[in-house]
Amino acid sequence: MAASQKLLHTKDIRNIAVVGHAGSGKTTLIETLLEKAGAINSAGSVSKGTTICDFSDQEKHLQHSLDASACHLETGGTSINLLDTPGYPDFMGRALSVLSAVETAAIVVNAQTGPELVTQRMMDFSSQRKLCQLIIVNKIDAEGVELGKVLAEIRETFGRQCLPLNLPAQQGKAVADCFFEPADQTPDFSSVDAAHTEIVDQVVELDEELMEAYLEQGDELSLEQLHDPFERALRAGHLVPVCFVSSETGAGIKQLLRVLSELMPNPMEGNPPEFFNDTSEEKTVTVNADDVDGHFVGHVFKVNVDPYVGRLATFRVHQGTVKTGDQIFVGNHRKAVKLAHLYRVQGKNLEEVSSAVSGNFCSVSKIEELHFDAIIHSSHDEDDLHLRSTKMPPPMYGVALELTQRGQEKKLSDALHKLTTEDPSLKIEFHAQANETVLRGMGELHLRIILERMKTEFGIDVSTQPPKIAYLETVTRKSEGHHRHKKQTGGAGQFGEVFLRIEPLPRGSGFEFSNKVVGGTIPGQFIPAVEKGVRQVLDGGAIAGYPLQDVKVIVYDGKHHPVDSKEIAFVAAGKRAFSDAVSKAKPIVLEPIAKIEVTTPNNYVGDITGHLSGIRGRIAGSDATARNRVKISAEVPLAELGDYQTTLKSLTGGEGTFTMEFDHYEKTPPGVQKGLEKTFRPTTEE
Ligand SMILES: Nc1nc2c(ncn2[C@@H]2O[C@H](COP(=O)(O)OP(=O)(O)OP(=O)(O)O)[C@@H](O)[C@H]2O)c(=O)[nH]1
Ligand SMILES: [Mg+2]
């Protein structure tokens, strides 16, 4: 409890996000780390549903982590915060959203498979955020693993700066330390000396003075001498340590604890996260982790909404110290909220604490104002501060929801609202044209989990219509458009005329509107009306009913009438003139293309690639992985992958697995576009 809490110093904190592909053993690894550090008495297991981090019923049932969860341990005088994250690509948003809270990403690689899709993604995302990286090769005890090959593959994929701090020995039953106290044993491959020298060489490369000392002293640099240059090498991405472990047998775990505590950066040593001001996104604002007495600044990186327990928000303190009873502000809200209780979480357990110092994590309950990504602070000086967020892959997979019981509309919208505050990769869209609510997520499993929660936690039953694909429309060449809107109803008339040009913009640039009208042929006050009309077409689509984008609109001429020109007339003229231009600009429909990786026993490869080609897929390659299995990579239109789970099951008798994620947009073939256009009814009301 609060009274017995030791005061923690920022320099003694380590924040580690444990990330990596599903099944690589992240949750099990954390369990073993907690046990070896004495934070729990005995390690639980994923299969029995007894781990600290997979505590929800759904996680226990599926035996996969579905949300990030936090826990902590104390070792060697440091306090280590660990964030377990889901490895299933459907839940990647939950993993990405916690990266802003840590200095180190520990990327777990399954020794049985080597680097996989999510391994690659997490290496990319953690580099983008300039996090220090640590690669952990887990399951070195498993049968048939070829650890030398796995290391070679890691270095080939991620670079030669990935260097082992230990090496497997006794056929994966143990590890030989190559760094702290170089072991006097023969590893299964390579040599302890060679590995040691490689690490030290890499570290001193960034430090001329030390390099000189090293050349003079030979191999005898002390850990103290190496500490600072080691941090610098980590921060610069000049060194990515690799550790071999088995979470099952405990091999390498004690040493990994030492690596986390002695080598990984404390909150002052990592690359600071980028904050910026509302007014200038370009200019970063410095927030100091070492300023424990300054203004308090925190960032909410995780929110959970439980219908019984209420809202639990977890934040990282980026500057200053927060104490029980403090009054804080949320973003630019003017009204302060009181932090009546502060907690530190250990999986699902809340432990009350009296304060949290810069660099640490902290949770608060039942404060409705706290949403994901909120900045909380103690001073109005910080009221337009933001933390640069990690770019998330867009949620592409959607289902239309239909209530099975009448009268639950309000309940449904409340539940959806709550679920979306928790999950940054869940989106709700309301399609006015079809009068339907579409729930969009990362994949079939993601949405299934959400619908299940809606039923069990919120008591709402919905039926779903087939997946809606997030098509887009765009134009492919320049054109001109014109419309004269003239209406005489009774006494008052409506008049507005618009001439405009449109130009395609590069993919992903969105929409630009420019006013080049000279001589007031369209009076300035009606220009926003023209833009409003154009935007109506952008939202509702021009050829197939999907959002139109990557287009620049230049309004350059028009006509008005001193009495009959009204806003509504220019909205209508803008809309029609734009539709006119689009129809002459070779409009096309773009479709999302997914990257898919299928892992299967050898003998089904032909069937799988044949089927993928049949659904417009392009095979990118296939690699042999462990135990007669092959990993096939392909790019396939998302629209064709609606029921791939079932297809793969029947093709491989249930032995194949796959992961997929959104990759990019591409032009649909003419046949597909025709089909989409057929069902489109443009709105005609004005
Ligand atoms: N042989 C062996 N099995 C392991 C080891 N670590 C984990 N496993 C097993 O691998 C399976 C997956 O482990 P998890 O800890 O759930 O993997 P995860 O990375 O958390 O998976 P997600 O939560 O889906 O991302 C479980 O059956 C574990 O018992 C290990 O070191 N050796
Ligand atoms: Mg897990």
Side-chain angles (χ1 to χ4, degrees), residues 22-28 46 64-65 86-87 138-139 141 246-248:
S24 54
K26 300 176 291 297
T27 305
T28 313
V46 171
H64 278 293
S65 308
N138 184 36
K139 305 202 190 181
D141 64 290
S246 164
S247 311
E248 187 79 21

Side-chain angles (χ1 to χ4, degrees), residues 421-472:
T421 45
E422 245 190 48
D423 189 343
S425 51
L426 193 65
K427 294 270 173 317
I428 312 288
E429 287 168 14
F430 183 69
H431 294 182
Q433 208 180 31
N435 189 25
E436 63 183 15
T437 303
V438 174
L439 185 63
R440 250 182 228 294
M442 305 295 292
E444 190 267 339
L445 178 64
H446 185 200
L447 293 187
R448 182 147 48 90
I449 294 290
I450 295 290
L451 294 175
E452 232 173 73
R453 284 188 61 191
M454 226 141 76
K455 190 166 176 182
T456 54
E457 292 177 26
F458 298 91
I460 301 167
D461 223 344
V462 291
S463 66
T464 58
Q465 298 300 317
K468 303 282 169 186
I469 300 298
Y471 293 105
L472 292 175

